Amino acid sequence: MSESVGAVHLGWDVVAVAAGGGGKPTTLLMVDGQATPPVQLLADASGQLHTSGVDGGRRDIGPAIADVRDLLGHSRIVVAGATWPVDAVFGARFHNPVAAIRAYLGGTPDVLALPYPDSWSEQLVDSYAEVVESIGIAVEPIPESVALAGYVRERAIVDNEIGATIVYSDGRSLLVVAVHADESRPTESVDVALPRDAHNDSRTADSVVDDVVAAARDIDADARQIVLIGNIVDIERLRFAFQNHFGRRLVFAAEPLHAIAIGAAALVAGASGEGEDSSTVAMPEPSRAFGAPSPADHGATVRHVAASHRQPSVWDVSGPARMVEPVVNGVRAHAVTLIVAGAAIVALIVAFLAFRWLTEPEPLSAEDARAAVVAAMLPADEFDGMTAREIEDDVVAVTTGAELTSMACGSIPLTAKEAAGARVSAEQSFEAPQDSPADGDGYRAGDALALRAMYYDPDTADSVMSAILGRVQDCPNGAANDLRYVVAVPSNGEDPGPPLQAGSTPERQKPSLDAHGGDRLAWRGLLPRANSTIGRVQHVTCLADRTGDIVLRACGTSLDTRRADDLAELGISRLLEHKR
């Protein structure tokens, strides 16, 4: 008998849960009374986390964490003043899905299938698996494309004699998957961009279909059967565009939002029933690139998925639950190739280190570092309508040594990584007069900007941004920190919005920050009444960008979170323009 298997698929907006094996058919499951409950976790004013199953009549509940996967790589997060270890957050997110799986299977599953996006790195997959395993269940990570292939075979949607093309979308992007008739061929997938206009513009939707056809051709997917899966089946313009193009070749999945969860559960449950000895199972090698497209062709990236990153695994990605034979031929030739390649790699490393030693920039002198951060600050009349606050007979304050504080949150000590290279910091602040009108086009009472530049030694600057983000996730709510309830804004995924004051309700339309890019961090917090110059709780938004060896930060303060966002973006843009 096969193992009992549960599967939890966390999307960016909903959770899908399935279970099967152990003598029970693979099926989707209801959680919190819903087939696809929202993925976000809620919180009350005390910082207690809740799922969407909480009593809808409670007024003290608001959104807290939009996507728990954004926490991977961090140890803890502060929610409404309560510090949560990340593994406990994942435990809260998985509690009800696992309870539904246990109820269906009649006990704890032998293994939990864990689908993940094909684009994830091995490190991120391992982090995901480890934090979910902390709830006490063995997990088997599976690429989403492989789970989709498992679904169409499990449900016998496609004719296995000719294969099929799967087009999956979560509403934000498209994943094109080749399900080959020859089950020995590895599953291959391609990402295709999904323009927002495709949801309501017929011409754009038609262009998307053309992009999908080109992407499918690049991975040699069979276009005689097209299976639509995911949110795409509910996007009318796109659905019609695919119907017009493919006609009777088009098939709609019966369980479009649960397909990945069902496919993952079916694969793992089927694999466990193929044989008893899995210790000698060899993992298949990735397939060679086939017709990889140029990014200029249609914005797609080809992936050739081989298998889960975690050992051992008894399923082959080319189809449902097939044992893989060890590869024994050509070992000697392969060893020789590895030796030659290893020697070449060593030579390259030596050359690279020598080049880096000769070209690595020298740290600035104390005088030059001070001049660099002061030069990054803005003129006193930069913001018409706001006044630069004087500090020690100047509008720019310079700090060094033990006086330096972290760029994260408010006035907290340097992180260990920052302290290793932080040399000198300059800061200045601007504020609107307290008698400014409460409406109109100009600045209002409570509007303020705090700007800062910090210089780091060149050999430490690379690790500074991650150190700042890590501290943002761990901002203490003590007297040393003037911000409360700090919320980090992810560089991808939905903007979580600002922290909520007690008794307030979330806005229907969340504000959105430009937090994208490799060198930008963003976070929001609340400035307590005791720290406010106008005696009221204010919203604070901070943006930090790295330019060379200097990190720039702009924090906007206002009674309204949207204005705080706008001020922060205005401040960082002026700093970057001035720095150039």
Side-chain angles (χ1 to χ4, degrees):
M1 180 179 292
S2 65
E3 289 182 321
S4 60
V5 178
V8 179
H9 180 222
L10 295 186
W12 68 273
D13 57 346
V14 296
V15 181
V17 182
K24 290 183 176 290
T26 304
T27 185
L28 64 87
L29 300 177
M30 302 280 283
V31 180
D32 294 335
Q34 305 174 67
T36 50
V39 72
Q40 69 177 6
L41 284 174
L42 310 176
D44 57 30
S46 67
Q48 182 67 36
L49 293 177
H50 306 268
T51 68
S52 59
V54 70
D55 180 10
R58 289 185 57 175
R59 290 181 157 268
D60 62 331
I61 299 291
I65 305 173
D67 186 346
V68 297
R69 297 177 301 178
D70 290 333
L71 305 182
L72 293 174
H74 303 286
S75 59
R76 58 185 64 85
I77 184 175
V78 176
V79 179
T83 299
W84 282 80
V86 165
D87 56 353
V89 174
F90 274 82
R93 174 62 277 171
F94 276 77
H95 183 272
N96 287 357
V98 171
I101 292 170
R102 286 193 177 108
Y104 176 72
L105 296 175
T108 300
D110 296 312
V111 64
L112 187 68
L114 207 59
Y116 63 87
D118 288 30
S119 59
W120 276 16
S121 66
E122 182 173 347
Q123 180 181 4
L124 192 58
V125 174
D126 286 340
S127 296
Y128 190 28
E130 288 168 5
V131 74
V132 176
E133 280 180 334
S134 68
I135 68 177
I137 301 178
V139 303
E140 177 69 23
I142 298 178
E144 289 178 342
S145 60
V146 175
L148 287 165
Y151 171 78
V152 297
R153 295 188 190 279
E154 162 72 12
R155 292 297 195 242
I157 293 176
V158 302
D159 182 345
N160 286 338
E161 293 184 1
I162 63 174
T165 298
I166 296 174
V167 182
Y168 168 79
S169 177
D170 60 4
R172 299 189 303 176
S173 62
L174 291 167
L175 183 67
V176 181
V177 183
V179 181
H180 301 294
D182 179 2
E183 295 184 15
S184 65
R185 293 182 60 181
T187 300
E188 298 172 274
S189 66
V190 180
D191 274 325
V192 175
L194 180 61
R196 183 168 297 184
D197 291 347
H199 291 227
N200 49 38
D201 180 72
S202 298
R203 182 173 299 179
T204 306
D206 289 336
S207 297
V208 169
V209 176
D210 294 337
D211 290 346
V212 167
V213 171
R217 188 182 300 117
D218 285 328
I219 56 174
D220 197 27
D222 199 318
R224 286 176 290 179
Q225 294 181 107
I226 310 295
V227 185
L228 287 190
I229 300 178
N231 291 348
I232 193 171
V233 301
D234 296 321
I235 303 174
E236 188 174 81
R237 298 280 184 181
L238 279 171
R239 188 175 69 249
F240 286 159
F242 277 93
Q243 285 177 322
N244 291 337
H245 191 98
F246 294 108
R248 294 184 179 179
R249 289 182 288 164
L250 189 67
V251 179
F252 295 93
E255 301 129 323
L257 299 182
H258 286 78
I260 288 178
I262 292 172
L267 277 173
V268 176
S272 66
E274 284 284 334
E276 294 180 329
D277 182 12
S278 63
S279 61
T280 60
V281 175
M283 303 298 290
E285 293 293 324
S287 68
R288 295 180 59 189
F290 179 86
S294 166
D297 292 340
H298 47 70
T301 302
V302 177
R303 279 186 300 274
H304 306 284
V305 181
S308 166
H309 292 294
R310 294 172 68 80
Q311 303 270 7
S313 176
V314 295
W315 47 272
D316 178 6
V317 299
S318 60
R322 193 177 65 83
M323 298 294 287
V324 185
E325 296 297 329
V327 178
V328 295
N329 294 327
V331 173
R332 184 175 303 167
H334 186 58
V336 173
T337 302
L338 286 177
I339 293 172
V340 174
I345 290 172
V346 170
L348 286 173
I349 292 174
V350 171
F352 170 76
L353 291 176
F355 174 79
R356 182 173 180 180
W357 180 76
L358 291 171
T359 60
E360 188 171 295
E362 289 290 327
L364 296 178
S365 66
E367 183 178 348
D368 289 342
R370 180 186 181 95
V373 294
V374 171
M377 294 291 92
L378 301 178
D381 59 353
E382 181 71 19
F383 303 99
D384 187 20
M386 281 203 288
T387 303
R389 183 185 301 171
E390 286 195 2
I391 307 171
E392 299 177 358
D393 300 324
D394 197 358
V395 296
V396 178
V398 179
T399 53
T400 58
E403 297 179 351
L404 290 171
T405 57
S406 175
M407 294 288 276
C409 306
S411 303
I412 59 178
L414 291 168
T415 66
K417 289 183 179 179
E418 284 184 287
R423 297 273 300 281
V424 60
S425 172
E427 57 187 300
Q428 61 184 164
S429 59
F430 300 80
E431 58 187 0
Q434 294 190 18
D435 58 356
S436 299
D439 53 14
D441 297 331
Y443 298 112
R444 306 172 186 176
D447 288 353
L449 259 173
L451 309 179
R452 192 174 180 192
M454 186 177 289
Y455 172 77
Y456 296 86
D457 284 345
D459 59 348
T460 66
D462 285 338
S463 62
V464 167
M465 296 299 279
S466 62
I468 294 173
L469 179 60
R471 195 57 189 266
V472 167
Q473 300 280 14
D474 186 29
C475 285
N477 285 308
N481 178 34
D482 50 11
L483 288 186
R484 300 291 187 271
Y485 315 126
V486 177
V487 176
V489 179
S491 59
N492 53 52
E494 185 182 5
D495 189 326
L500 297 177
Q501 300 183 54
S504 63
T505 57
E507 299 184 30
R508 290 185 177 181
Q509 293 184 337
K510 291 182 180 178
S512 180
L513 273 172
D514 178 15
H516 298 279
D519 285 324
R520 171 161 291 188
L521 301 176
W523 62 93
R524 297 189 182 92
L526 295 176
L527 187 68
R529 183 178 292 105
N531 299 100
S532 170
T533 59
I534 61 174
R536 296 177 62 183
V537 175
Q538 294 174 267
H539 288 272
V540 179
T541 300
C542 294
L543 292 173
D545 274 33
R546 177 190 166 192
T547 60
D549 303 326
I550 292 180
V551 174
L552 302 172
R553 188 188 73 184
C555 292
T557 303
S558 180
L559 290 171
D560 177 75
T561 185
R562 294 179 184 274
R563 289 182 65 82
D565 286 357
D566 292 342
L567 287 169
E569 290 178 323
L570 173 64
I572 201 71
S573 65
R574 294 282 179 86
L575 285 173
L576 292 171
E577 290 169 2
H578 186 65
K579 183 70 169 56
R580 296 191 190 102

